[in-house]
Amino acid sequence: AQKVTQAQTEISVVEKEDVTLDCVYETRDTTYYLFWYKQPPSGELVFLIRRNSFDEQNEISGRYSWNFQKSTSSFNFTITASQVVDSAVYFCALSAPLGTDKLIFGTGTRLQVFP
Amino acid sequence: DTEVTQTPKHLVMGMTNKKSLKCEQHMGHRAMYWYKQKAKKPPELMFVYSYEKLSINESVPSRFSPECPNSSLLNLHLHALQPEDSALYLCASSQGRRQGYGYTFGSGTRLTVV
């Protein structure tokens, strides 16, 4: 069965701190995709990154970076020098098996960045 | 145009009302989705349309009725809802149903049933 676990329900940091959001997944598929979405208070789910199971190269985009480790089934997300605008709920998601057309979402981590 | 547009943004309806939620995308995506999200929970899949045909219904009660008039539009017709149906309703689209495309989400309709 597929599952995504985001053990951190809520994280609070002060601006300029670095913060890492954890994501652990379970799947029996050899080909799969992992995603991170950001949901600010306005409600829209904003796509941040997609990573396929064959590409373990870490990625950096500005203040955001992602660490994908198949050996530990983890896809962690780090925000460097956090800002108040980073305050949101962050969801990690896993693509379901081909043909079922679902995203399996984790329960989300609420990040609050205080000035 | 890389957006999914949902209207209305907010909706309050009585349990005897009939209303519709609308979703529009002009990215040429061939798969469109309705998700329901309760407070402090992840989104839950309701319906999937692929090439304008309903391909997945996640055992959603019949008081929710989806419609896909064309490849750019997706509606969700609401009738005789219950207060527990109050939630954020999100529309999404993707290039296709193949694994891994990822979704583009709209900003949602916040529905309150009174």
Side-chain angles (χ1 to χ4, degrees):
Chain A
Q2 269 117 339
K3 186 178 178 182
V4 176
T5 300
Q6 294 180 257
Q8 303 150 308
T9 305
E10 190 162 338
I11 300 176
S12 296
V13 299
V14 176
E15 219 172 7
K16 298 184 183 177
E17 283 187 37
D18 298 347
V19 57
T20 295
L21 309 182
D22 298 332
C23 174
V24 174
Y25 63 93
E26 296 175 30
T27 182
R28 292 182 180 176
D29 295 337
T30 54
T31 301
Y32 53 89
Y33 292 80
L34 293 161
F35 303 84
W36 275 95
Y37 285 89
K38 173 183 180 180
Q39 189 172 39
S42 58
E44 180 179 0
L45 277 159
V46 178
F47 167 82
L48 296 178
I49 191 171
R50 177 184 68 194
R51 176 53 47 88
N52 75 55
S53 53
F54 297 108
D55 182 4
E56 288 196 67
Q57 194 170 19
N58 291 331
E59 183 157 338
I60 298 175
S61 176
R63 295 184 297 107
Y64 296 170
S65 62
W66 291 269
N67 182 358
F68 176 33
Q69 292 195 346
K70 284 181 75 172
S71 60
T72 56
S73 297
S74 65
F75 187 41
N76 297 336
F77 172 33
T78 297
I79 302 175
T80 302
S82 60
Q83 300 177 0
V84 173
V85 293
D86 296 327
S87 298
V89 179
Y90 291 86
F91 290 99
C92 180
L94 168 69
S95 60
L98 187 64
T100 63
D101 202 27
K102 280 185 180 182
L103 280 181
I104 311 296
F105 283 93
T107 50
T109 297
R110 180 176 300 275
L111 174 65
Q112 293 193 330
V113 182
F114 293 99
Chain B
D1 188 351
T2 57
E3 287 186 348
V4 173
T5 303
Q6 290 188 244
T7 56
K9 292 196 181 303
H10 300 273
L11 178 62
V12 178
M13 60 184 291
M15 290 187 284
T16 58
N17 291 160
K18 286 184 181 180
K19 296 287 185 183
S20 296
L21 309 185
K22 296 184 185 304
C23 174
E24 189 169 2
Q25 57 89 14
H26 296 288
M27 295 176 281
H29 287 177
R30 305 317 304 261
M32 296 185 76
Y33 310 78
W34 281 114
Y35 275 82
K36 173 182 178 179
Q37 187 179 21
K38 301 284 277 184
K40 299 188 177 183
K41 297 288 187 182
E44 297 176 5
L45 182 65
M46 298 175 73
F47 302 104
V48 179
Y49 273 83
S50 179
Y51 290 85
E52 302 163 46
K53 287 185 172 24
L54 182 64
S55 56
I56 294 179
N57 177 342
E58 289 286 296
S59 302
V60 178
S62 60
R63 58 185 183 269
F64 295 91
S65 175
E67 178 197 20
C68 189
N70 60 57
S71 60
S72 299
L73 294 174
L74 186 65
N75 298 322
L76 186 62
H77 303 297
L78 314 173
H79 173 54
L81 295 193
Q82 304 296 311
E84 59 264 29
D85 296 321
S86 299
L88 178 67
Y89 288 85
L90 292 160
C91 175
S93 69
S94 71
Q95 292 181 40
R97 289 191 60 201
R98 282 180 55 193
Q99 186 190 48
Y101 278 124
Y103 296 177
T104 300
F105 281 90
S107 57
T109 294
R110 290 193 185 275
L111 173 68
T112 303
V113 181
V114 297

